Amino acid sequence: MPARTKKDAASEDATMQDAPVSAQVEDVPDQDMPENGVAEEEEEEEEEVEAQRVKILPGSTDTAASFEFIEEGHTMGNALRYIIMKNPDVEFCAYTIPHPSEAKMNIRIQTYASANGTMAEGTAIDALKKGLSDLQQVCDVVADEFSTKRQEFNDENGIDR
């Protein structure tokens, strides 16, 4: 990057007082804003709507579907794949991270079809819902067991936390 070789008065930064009046911002009170400066909407707690983080990818059927999870990676993908494969209605389940620079995780679930091939014993969506529920239960058990063991350790060693 080239540097300036001569220092002249014209290259100095201009201040807002030097700017034309049309470019200066006037401090006009907002008509909708109350005197204390806090809008009524801000006083009430609003529920924050979380964006949809999972969607069904095109080309899915009842028995075989691909899902895209936003802001998830290998941790969620591998754990969910393991739990879903424990479901006896699931024939195939795998996950992939399409590209390391994208925060997306895709998971493919295929369930067994019934003997006549028309109706599925369980849909891929049902398998995903059951997998997510089972994974949540496993996480709850691990968290409870961890808290119990940590408390036992703290009590044995006289640690107050």
Side-chain angles (χ1 to χ4, degrees):
M1 178 175 234
R4 292 185 186 148
T5 56
K6 293 182 182 179
K7 184 170 181 159
D8 56 7
S11 68
E12 294 294 321
D13 290 337
T15 63
M16 277 306 290
Q17 283 71 22
D18 297 337
V21 177
S22 62
Q24 294 181 6
V25 179
E26 287 186 42
D27 191 19
V28 178
D30 190 359
Q31 301 297 333
D32 297 333
M33 190 66 75
E35 291 299 318
N36 64 1
V38 179
E40 291 178 23
E41 295 89 33
E42 292 176 302
E43 290 176 359
E44 298 175 10
E45 278 192 38
E46 294 183 24
E47 276 191 38
E48 189 173 314
V49 178
E50 188 172 325
Q52 181 103 13
R53 293 183 56 195
V54 64
K55 67 179 181 178
I56 300 175
L57 296 176
S60 298
T61 64
D62 286 343
T63 59
S66 294
F67 304 92
E68 180 180 72
F69 286 79
I70 307 297
E71 299 295 325
E72 294 296 342
H74 289 286
T75 304
M76 173 75 157
N78 196 36
L80 189 57
R81 178 203 56 82
Y82 176 81
I83 294 292
I84 290 173
M85 281 303 297
K86 294 289 187 181
N87 184 341
D89 294 337
V90 175
E91 181 178 12
F92 173 81
C93 182
Y95 83 96
T96 184
I97 305 297
H99 194 276
S101 67
E102 295 179 5
K104 295 179 182 178
M105 183 265 301
N106 294 344
I107 191 162
R108 174 90 176 157
I109 302 170
Q110 185 172 330
T111 58
Y112 289 106
S114 63
N116 61 10
T118 57
M119 292 296 294
E121 292 177 16
T123 66
I125 294 173
D126 291 338
L128 177 64
K129 287 179 182 178
K130 183 176 181 344
L132 289 168
S133 174
D134 291 350
L135 182 59
Q136 180 66 47
Q137 290 174 357
V138 168
C139 290
D140 290 344
V141 168
V142 170
D144 290 344
E145 187 67 20
F146 174 78
S147 295
T148 302
K149 294 297 181 181
R150 181 183 61 191
Q151 188 61 45
E152 287 176 12
F153 177 83
N154 289 347
D155 292 344
E156 291 173 2
N157 294 302
I159 299 172
D160 292 331
R161 285 193 186 208

